[in-house]
Amino acid sequence: MLLGDDDHSHRLQIATEAAKDAGRLILSYYRRPDVLEAVAKGPRDLVTAADHAADAFLRKRLAATFPDDAFLTEESGGEIGDRLWVIDPIDGTGNFARGLPHFCISVASCVDERPDLGVIYDPVHDELYTARKDRGATCNGRTIAGSRISAPEQSLIDVGYSHRHPSRDYAMLIDRLMVAGCGFCQSGSAALGLAHLADGRRDGYCELHLYSWDVLAGIFLVQEAGGWTSEFPAGDGLIHGNPLLACTPVLTDDLRCLTGI
């Protein structure tokens, strides 16, 4: 399915407006214990009323303009279609629920299961990241690119984790990075970690399992900013997830060896 330039522009405009409005919505819940009840979906996996409200808002807003498109979101699921929106209404819910200012809204549009635009909005810092196919990536309209770090011992790698893998797997991963001299952090939002990688604030991101709503927009941002990512949608990755490594291109060989991804 081929889309014209006007269609891409229109889709990006609507997705951008929707993400910013959803950002205002979730901030109305932020640090509001009277309305922000957090429920555990699983180990270290929270959902709040704000997640559900933003999920419903984004689906309704995008479906009003693109009624024939399919949706796949963290909170309400969905199914794959030729034209698909993949949405995480709040990536970094654990941070959000604790009042930590590191979370975002992530929206990706796909054609035939491949992303063609991505939007990530950090409402606390009012930073809007966008990418269009073959048009590069921006933050608040400023063209962005990855870092120029070329040595592992100079790098900062964001290492995400979940209980879907044994803790020893992550301990071994971090040990290998430390032995190689890499700095590492765990920021609690894969989407925002990837946006920061695209903007040169991190040099790599890795995690042993993620879902497409966590990372699809961020992967596209990294690629359009000139970075390298592993082949996340491979196999049934859109539905069931995959491991992910993303980094500045000159670190690719070193980090693939260190992470095994």
Side-chain angles (χ1 to χ4, degrees):
M1 179 185 295
L2 298 177
L3 296 178
D5 189 62
D6 288 345
D7 185 65
H8 276 122
S9 296
H10 182 51
R11 285 179 172 272
L12 183 59
Q13 177 186 350
I14 298 301
T16 296
E17 292 171 354
K20 295 195 76 169
D21 287 344
R24 285 187 280 272
L25 173 62
I26 66 174
L27 286 182
S28 70
Y29 291 81
Y30 185 49
R31 293 179 175 172
R32 289 275 311 279
D34 55 322
V35 296
L36 190 65
E37 180 181 357
V39 177
K41 296 189 291 184
R44 299 191 63 82
D45 187 9
L46 299 176
V47 65
T48 71
D51 293 87
H52 290 302
D55 182 271
F57 173 85
L58 287 163
R59 287 176 61 102
K60 182 178 180 180
R61 172 69 71 86
L62 293 169
T65 307
F66 309 109
D68 297 326
D69 289 5
F71 288 85
L72 180 64
T73 83
E74 177 171 13
E75 305 309 337
S76 52
E79 58 186 21
I80 305 299
D82 293 338
R83 287 262 23 156
L84 174 68
W85 294 96
V86 181
I87 298 168
D88 193 339
I90 305 178
D91 189 68
T93 298
N95 290 337
F96 176 79
R98 290 171 177 79
L100 298 173
H102 193 85
F103 53 87
C104 64
I105 292 132
S106 177
V107 179
S109 168
C110 298
V111 178
D112 298 327
E113 301 186 18
R114 292 287 174 175
D116 64 339
L117 69 83
V119 175
I120 290 175
Y121 182 54
D122 172 354
V124 172
H125 301 99
D126 192 26
E127 290 187 327
L128 178 72
Y129 296 88
T130 65
R132 278 181 59 192
K133 187 170 179 59
D134 300 325
R135 294 296 186 93
T138 67
C139 176
N140 289 350
R142 168 182 56 87
T143 299
I144 59 175
S147 81
R148 298 182 180 180
I149 294 298
S150 59
E153 61 269 21
Q154 299 172 336
S155 67
L156 177 62
I157 313 300
D158 197 339
V159 184
Y161 77 99
S162 74
H163 287 273
R164 295 186 293 276
H165 269 260
S167 59
R168 64 177 178 273
D169 292 348
Y170 286 102
M172 292 171 62
L173 170 58
I174 291 171
D175 181 67
R176 291 194 297 269
L177 291 172
M178 292 182 68
V179 168
C182 301
F184 74 93
C185 62
Q186 201 280 320
S187 65
S189 169
L192 202 47
L194 289 166
H196 289 171
L197 169 59
D199 199 14
R201 306 186 201 183
R202 303 277 194 273
D203 307 301
Y205 185 94
C206 63
E207 190 159 349
L208 299 179
H209 183 270
L210 287 154
Y211 289 109
S212 58
W213 44 77
D214 299 314
V215 296
L216 215 58
I219 287 171
F220 192 61
L221 277 167
V222 170
Q223 293 171 346
E224 287 294 315
W228 179 89
T229 72
S230 56
E231 185 64 19
F232 182 84
D236 59 0
L238 272 180
I239 295 294
H240 297 294
N242 265 324
L244 175 67
L245 171 64
C247 58
T248 184
V250 293
L251 292 176
T252 300
D253 290 342
D254 288 320
L255 291 181
R256 289 185 73 184
C257 182
L258 289 169
T259 64
I261 299 174

